Amino acid sequence: MQLFSVSTFAQKASANAIIFWTESRKLQLQDFKVVSDSVAAVDENVAALTRTGITYYLTTDKVNGKPVSIRITVQATVHKEHTFIKERVLDFSPSVKQRLLMHEQKHFDISEIFAREATRELQNLKLTKEDYQNEIASFVQEKFKAAEEFQRYYDLDTRNGEDFAAQDEWDERIALQLEALDRYKKKVLVKRL
């Protein structure tokens, strides 16, 4: 199961509450809050819920009080405060736990795909000096909606990772999309206004 959020660094939580996507850092059991199997925040048929998001940060360079350029940093994130795993998962075999973690990691990877796409598309987004903050926020919100729909489809198609053949196909598809967007993995760009 997947929830999605969009935020700016101005609203950021403590550094320990957010995991930023990197190639070398994969989700681990300790990244999840263990909750009772009956907790209302997590659907009873779901073993884990990972709240991922696309977070962006703007830095504006001004001359005589007027914006002349902006630096946009985009990140795929996991919000640990709202990322849960059911108690029953602790009793699963190591291989089943690993498979569940990999399914949840793919949610994080999908967020990274959309963060890279956002970076690519922001390069060509026409912005005005008067309203660039709202224009970027609106753009990211639309990207968020598309990512959210993609995440839902991923869960539906893989039956939350329980359809192993479909999961394997998605694993390959996600890896190929990350590779295709590799040149945008830095996710920082500067735009003149």
Side-chain angles (χ1 to χ4, degrees):
M1 179 72 176
Q2 166 71 26
L3 293 177
F4 217 83
S5 70
V6 176
S7 62
T8 65
F9 279 90
Q11 302 165 330
K12 75 178 176 181
S14 73
N16 294 334
I18 296 177
I19 302 169
F20 296 96
W21 190 97
T22 65
E23 288 178 282
S24 62
R25 177 30 167 117
K26 303 300 179 200
L27 292 177
Q28 306 161 30
L29 273 179
Q30 53 268 35
D31 295 327
F32 295 78
K33 283 184 172 183
V34 177
V35 295
S36 147
D37 290 344
S38 62
V39 72
V42 182
D43 184 289
E44 66 184 72
N45 299 322
V46 174
L49 182 143
T50 304
R51 184 173 187 192
T52 67
I54 300 171
T55 307
Y56 68 99
Y57 174 71
L58 302 176
T59 304
T60 306
D61 291 324
K62 296 181 178 182
V63 173
N64 297 327
K66 297 189 186 247
V68 292
S69 69
I70 54 171
R71 179 185 179 98
I72 308 167
T73 304
V74 182
Q75 293 286 334
T77 55
V78 164
H79 303 266
K80 289 174 69 172
E81 186 68 23
H82 303 286
T83 296
F84 307 104
I85 201 158
K86 296 280 187 84
E87 253 179 338
R88 70 179 183 261
V89 171
L90 301 177
D91 294 329
F92 290 176
S93 71
S95 63
V96 173
K97 281 188 245 186
Q98 185 59 34
R99 196 134 177 98
L100 175 64
L101 283 173
M102 289 309 301
H103 174 80
E104 297 304 314
Q105 177 64 45
K106 296 308 173 197
H107 279 296
F108 201 6
D109 294 348
I110 289 169
S111 290
E112 174 65 9
I113 288 167
F114 279 85
R116 290 180 187 189
E117 285 180 356
T119 303
R120 180 188 64 205
E121 293 166 23
L122 280 165
Q123 289 178 338
N124 299 317
L125 186 66
K126 301 291 184 214
L127 300 172
T128 64
K129 287 183 184 185
E130 300 76 31
D131 204 27
Y132 67 91
Q133 291 177 340
N134 288 329
E135 292 163 351
I136 292 170
S138 179
F139 166 80
V140 173
Q141 186 64 33
E142 288 303 312
K143 186 53 76 176
F144 155 76
K145 288 178 186 175
E148 190 175 47
E149 187 58 35
F150 195 87
Q151 296 277 14
R152 273 195 279 275
Y153 182 67
Y154 165 64
D155 267 341
L156 183 66
D157 198 46
T158 64
R159 292 186 311 121
N160 294 313
E162 293 184 22
D163 181 332
F164 294 170
Q167 184 66 57
D168 290 344
E169 289 174 15
W170 274 90
D171 291 351
E172 185 175 333
R173 178 180 178 183
I174 290 166
L176 289 171
Q177 285 183 294
L178 283 169
E179 186 179 325
L181 293 163
D182 189 64
R183 67 185 270 196
Y184 301 101
K185 71 181 173 184
K186 186 175 176 192
K187 299 181 302 297
V188 177
L189 65 131
V190 176
K191 288 185 68 81
R192 297 202 56 78
L193 294 172

